[in-house]
Each structure stands twice: as C-alpha cells, then as structure tokens.
Amino acid sequence: IEGTFEIDASKILHMSAKTGLGVDAVLPSVIENMPPPLGSIDQPFKALLFDTWYDKYVGVVCLMAIKDGSIKKGDRIVSTHSKQKYEVTEVGIMHPEPSPTTSLQVGQVGYITCNMKSVSEAHVGDTFYRDKHPVEALPGFVPAKSMVFAGVFPIDADEFARLDESIQKLTLNDSSVSVHKETSAALGQGWRLGFLGTLHMDVFRQRLEEEYDASILITAPTVPYQIKYRDGTTRFIRTPADFPDIHTMQDNVESTMEPFVLATMIFPERYLGQMLELCTLHRGEIQNHVYIDEARVLLKCRLPMAEIVSDFFDKLKSKSQGFASFDYEESGYEASDLVKMEVLLNNEAVDALASVMHRSTSVVAGRDMAKRLREVIRRQLFDIIIQTAANGKIVARETVKQLRKNVTAKCYGGDITRKMKLLNKQKEGKKRMKKFGKVELPQEAFLTVMTKSE
C-alpha cells in the first residue's frame, strides 16, 4: 500500500464495515486530522459553488461551502463571475436528503435555491457574496472551456425534434457542454457539441443512447485550432468547414496553431519501449521518465491534442495489456503545419467527411479514407471517382466501376461495325449520365466509414 498509493501504513485505520470492527474510531480520526474552517461568522458572506443539479420544481439547486459569514432565506446574493443577482428561497443541508434549515453558517456545506433558471448560469468554482457587500473572489476559478468538438446528427431525420429535446434535458445538468445547431449537406440538420474531453463526449453519447433511446451519428471529434493572420488577428477554428481555403492560406495566413497537452502515463517497467514508440508515432515529444519504484515508470510527454481524441487511449491500453494509466492537462498552442483534408466524389466535396490534420499524416489518412469509401459506396450506372485532397492537392484516388449492360447480346453474328455502333452509343449515354448524375452517400456508409477501426 505504501509503494502503490504512497500512504503511511502506520496511519491506516484497521476497521471492517461488515463486522463493525474499529468503526467507532473513524469519527474521532476525522476530527483530529481534518483542519477546522478558517473563516469567521463576523465577516461578510462568502461561499464557494462546487456542484449543481436541476430540479423541475425549484430550478437549479446549488451546493455551496460557506467560507465566511452566514446566509438565510430572503437574502440577495451575487455571482462574482456573472454579476447576476438572485434572491435565496431556501437553504438547507444534505442529511442525506435535502433538509431545510433556518440558515447556513461559516464552515457548513449545504444547498441553496435562488430561482436560478438554467445550469448554464451556475459556474462551478464561482464565488457568491451578499448584495452590496462585495468580497474578493476565491482563487483558482477558470470557466469551463470546450476542447473537443463533434457533430451529432439523428440517423432518422424524423427524430430531429425528439433528439433536440433529449439534448436540452441532458444539458440542463451539464453546463460544460456547448450546443450550436449546424446543417450538413450530406447528413441534414444536427448539432455541433463541445466537450471538456473525449471521456466527457463518450459519457454524453452513452447517456443519449441509453436514457433517451436515441439513434445518433457522431462525426469524428475535432479540437479547436488557431489561425494567425498577417494583419495580427487570430481566429479559432472549431469545424473543418471554417478552415481557410488554399488561396487564403497562401495570401493572408501567417501560421496555423494546434493545442498541445502535457500527458502523464504510469505503467509497468516492461512496457517502457512500447509506450515510447506509441508517443513517437503520435508526434509526441518525450519530456522525461522516472522510476517510481522497482516495477513502475512515470512517463511525461507533450502531445498534440488532435492525436489523443481519436484512438490513442485504446492503443495505450492494448499495448500495456490494460496496466497503463493516462492523464493530461492543457499545455497551450504551438505552430503546426495543418491542412484541410477533403473527400471528393466526382469532383464534389462531401462536407461531413472533411477534417483538419497535420500535413505529415495527410497522405496515409487520405489513402485509407479512399479505400474505405470504395468498399461502402454502391455501384452506379457510371463511374464514381473518389478523391481525397489536402489543401486542394489530390493525395489519393479510387474508382467505383460502373454497372454495364450487355448491349451486344442481341447481335448474332454480322459485321463488327454494328457492335461498335451499339457500344459507342452506350459510351455516349454514360458520359451524359456522369455529367448530370449525382452521387448520394447513404447514412449507412457514413456510419461504416466513421466507426470502422483502422
């Protein structure tokens, strides 16, 4: 226990909740080891908001830790972050269910209802104070910022209204999800959702599918890129559609930047070589690695965030047989050679399959995408040309061959010119069909391409 969790074994309580052994020593130990509150009841009211949930009868319920002063029903409080004012309608403690009290005082943790209508108004880490008695905000508060974006579309277009209602209900209890409606020419109406990370996105998707029985298609996750122009302005790019075209890149863009993270991995020593190789393959920069004990290694490296939002975690678990742990924190933006990868079907771009990536991976990714599309696109009466282009330059091409009717089947013998005349007539018809024919990708094809493992 000392080696794994770095806990002093002499301070561990010997107890069993099953038999009751040593349970009576728990509360005295908590009293001895937990520091008392540092605030004063004579100071102006100051409270830290650390959790919220939505109640359909009273609105948003805020869990707060009272740092100074006291609060009671009827008081008016103000948010340090938003400057919004609220009137307290009820205060109480969790015991373990909400139990109303006459007031909350310094050192207590309790709930407050104050006619707050939306969870988006409540920012975890925010400081509240009594109206006309401002106080200094508690340190460490940073508003939640979305770092992973994905498009969400209903499999069946008729389910749009029901899915819209489901997303609204889910975001009532999760204010860190940003929601913007968007329209795709290929997938129809949908939403562009922003999440704190890939785990946050997976949990949100599972809740939509399990709690609301939603059938959805999620596009490949993207991260917010930064475009720095020559006139000194900076713009954030959250969707591939917003990425500048090739002419703008050449004439107006000074540099493109992508977010990096500082990753920390802990794993058994025997997997060190495989972990170093994995980080290198994903454009990682090894910072250092140290031995925690005889058997475990702690590895730190800087990675582009775009590399870890796809399948990095799955590869990490696979290569370490599930023993590796992974954590990361933001490490700022850095200049990077980014390109926009587009998919063209008969020279027409498919917006839902576009992506932004590093130039070094564009050729391999383009060839892989073209091959996978060739497998799922149904044959037509004309050739379908699949191309992938990085910043306008074609990097891969595949062709889905046309279906062809045997127009010479009725010819029994005779001169060859008769057969050639029929074949040339068919050829001209194919040209006209290719000119006016449209290639439509079914949603099953999108689902196959986006979920198929590489």
Side-chain angles (χ1 to χ4, degrees):
I1 290 176
E2 286 184 335
T4 306
F5 300 107
E6 299 180 0
I7 297 174
D8 186 0
S10 63
K11 297 181 179 179
I12 296 176
L13 298 177
H14 298 274
M15 59 169 291
S16 169
K18 184 177 181 180
T19 63
L21 174 68
V23 173
D24 54 351
V26 175
L27 285 180
S29 178
V30 170
I31 294 171
E32 290 175 13
N33 295 304
M34 295 296 291
L38 300 177
S40 169
I41 196 169
D42 299 323
Q43 296 291 326
F45 169 73
K46 181 196 289 186
L48 172 70
L49 173 68
F50 64 89
D51 196 12
T52 62
W53 70 86
Y54 186 81
D55 186 284
K56 61 182 178 181
Y57 298 110
V58 298
V60 179
V61 181
C62 301
L63 273 183
M64 294 190 186
I66 312 302
K67 298 296 183 180
D68 282 312
S70 63
I71 190 75
K72 63 182 184 299
K73 180 180 177 180
D75 289 346
R76 289 182 65 82
I77 58 175
V78 184
S79 162
T80 304
H81 174 67
S82 65
K83 304 303 180 185
Q84 289 268 31
K85 297 180 180 180
Y86 305 96
E87 182 176 347
V88 177
T89 56
E90 185 180 309
V91 299
I93 58 173
M94 307 300 291
H95 192 66
E97 296 298 321
S99 303
T101 60
T102 55
S103 66
L104 288 176
Q105 299 183 353
V106 59
Q108 286 189 303
V109 173
Y111 72 88
I112 294 176
T113 60
C114 52
N115 289 325
M116 196 178 288
K117 302 300 182 185
S118 170
V119 177
S120 60
E121 298 178 41
H123 301 271
V124 172
D126 195 5
T127 303
F128 281 78
Y129 60 89
R130 186 176 279 106
D131 190 20
K132 297 181 181 178
H133 294 83
V135 297
E136 185 178 351
L138 293 163
F141 170 66
V142 178
K145 182 172 65 173
S146 300
M147 289 304 294
V148 175
F149 295 86
V152 175
F153 298 88
I155 295 291
D156 184 358
D158 296 335
E159 296 290 314
F160 179 83
R162 191 167 73 89
L163 184 57
D164 188 23
E165 183 181 351
S166 301
I167 290 175
Q168 287 180 12
K169 287 180 179 178
L170 262 185
T171 51
L172 279 176
N173 282 321
D174 193 350
S175 60
S176 57
V177 179
S178 64
V179 182
H180 302 282
K181 288 187 178 180
E182 73 171 8
T183 303
S184 165
L187 300 176
Q189 285 187 308
W191 301 264
R192 171 65 53 168
L193 303 184
F195 305 95
L196 299 179
T198 51
L199 177 61
H200 188 200
M201 181 181 73
D202 289 339
V203 170
F204 192 88
R205 175 184 57 80
Q206 288 178 2
R207 290 189 64 188
L208 268 180
E209 293 175 345
E210 294 173 7
E211 296 180 21
Y212 297 96
D213 196 27
S215 298
I216 58 173
L217 175 66
I218 295 188
T219 61
T222 61
V223 298
Y225 297 101
Q226 229 178 37
I227 307 295
K228 193 173 181 181
Y229 291 92
R230 290 198 173 103
D231 60 4
T233 58
T234 302
R235 181 186 175 197
F236 281 94
I237 302 296
R238 292 179 174 82
T239 65
D242 296 335
F243 198 81
D245 57 34
I246 182 63
H247 301 296
T248 307
M249 289 288 290
Q250 291 174 349
D251 298 338
N252 302 324
V253 174
E254 181 180 329
S255 63
T256 54
M257 309 177 79
E258 65 176 329
F260 275 71
V261 297
L262 181 61
T264 304
M265 290 166 272
I266 300 176
F267 48 84
E269 186 270 339
R270 63 181 179 274
Y271 300 115
L272 177 59
Q274 293 170 314
M275 295 297 103
L276 291 173
E277 180 186 5
L278 177 65
C279 292
T280 306
L281 286 175
H282 286 267
R283 299 191 287 128
E285 178 187 332
I286 308 297
Q287 300 284 323
N288 68 332
H289 66 276
V290 295
Y291 284 80
I292 303 174
D293 50 36
E294 297 84 1
R296 293 183 305 153
V297 178
L298 185 147
L299 172 67
K300 287 192 174 184
C301 70
R302 287 188 80 239
L303 286 161
M305 192 168 191
E307 295 289 337
I308 67 171
V309 299
S310 52
D311 57 354
F312 181 84
F313 189 72
D314 293 336
K315 290 180 180 178
L316 179 82
K317 289 296 183 184
S318 176
K319 288 182 178 291
S320 66
Q321 297 180 323
F323 284 103
S325 65
F326 178 75
D327 189 24
Y328 68 88
E329 58 186 25
E330 295 175 31
S331 183
Y333 279 78
E334 195 172 291
S336 186
D337 189 7
L338 302 175
V339 295
K340 179 182 178 180
M341 174 67 71
E342 291 182 292
V343 176
L344 308 174
L345 297 181
N346 283 351
N347 296 320
E348 290 191 11
V350 182
D351 59 344
L353 295 179
S355 59
V356 178
M357 62 183 65
H358 194 267
R359 190 182 296 274
S360 63
T361 62
S362 61
V363 175
V364 175
R367 288 174 180 169
D368 179 61
M369 177 64 77
K371 287 179 181 177
R372 284 156 58 183
L373 277 174
R374 188 184 64 179
E375 295 174 5
V376 298
I377 293 179
R378 291 191 292 265
R379 294 174 68 188
Q380 306 283 342
L381 293 174
F382 51 89
D383 282 347
I384 300 174
I385 299 171
I386 305 166
Q387 296 171 306
T388 52
N391 271 11
K393 181 182 178 182
I394 303 298
V395 296
R397 170 180 167 144
E398 296 286 343
T399 303
V400 179
K401 286 295 183 182
Q402 63 191 7
L403 292 170
R404 183 167 174 266
K405 180 182 176 183
N406 187 5
V407 292
T408 60
K410 59 185 178 181
C411 298
Y412 297 96
D415 190 55
I416 186 66
T417 55
R418 187 180 176 200
K419 291 184 178 180
M420 292 305 299
K421 183 179 179 181
L422 291 170
L423 289 171
N424 287 333
K425 187 177 180 182
Q426 183 189 44
K427 190 176 179 182
E428 291 299 321
K430 296 283 186 188
K431 281 184 180 179
R432 285 195 302 273
M433 196 177 294
K434 185 176 180 180
K435 186 176 180 181
F436 298 108
K438 298 289 183 183
V439 182
E440 290 189 3
L441 275 181
Q443 288 203 340
E444 293 81 6
F446 283 101
L447 198 60
T448 304
V449 170
M450 291 176 183
T451 59
K452 188 175 180 180
S453 59
E454 296 181 8

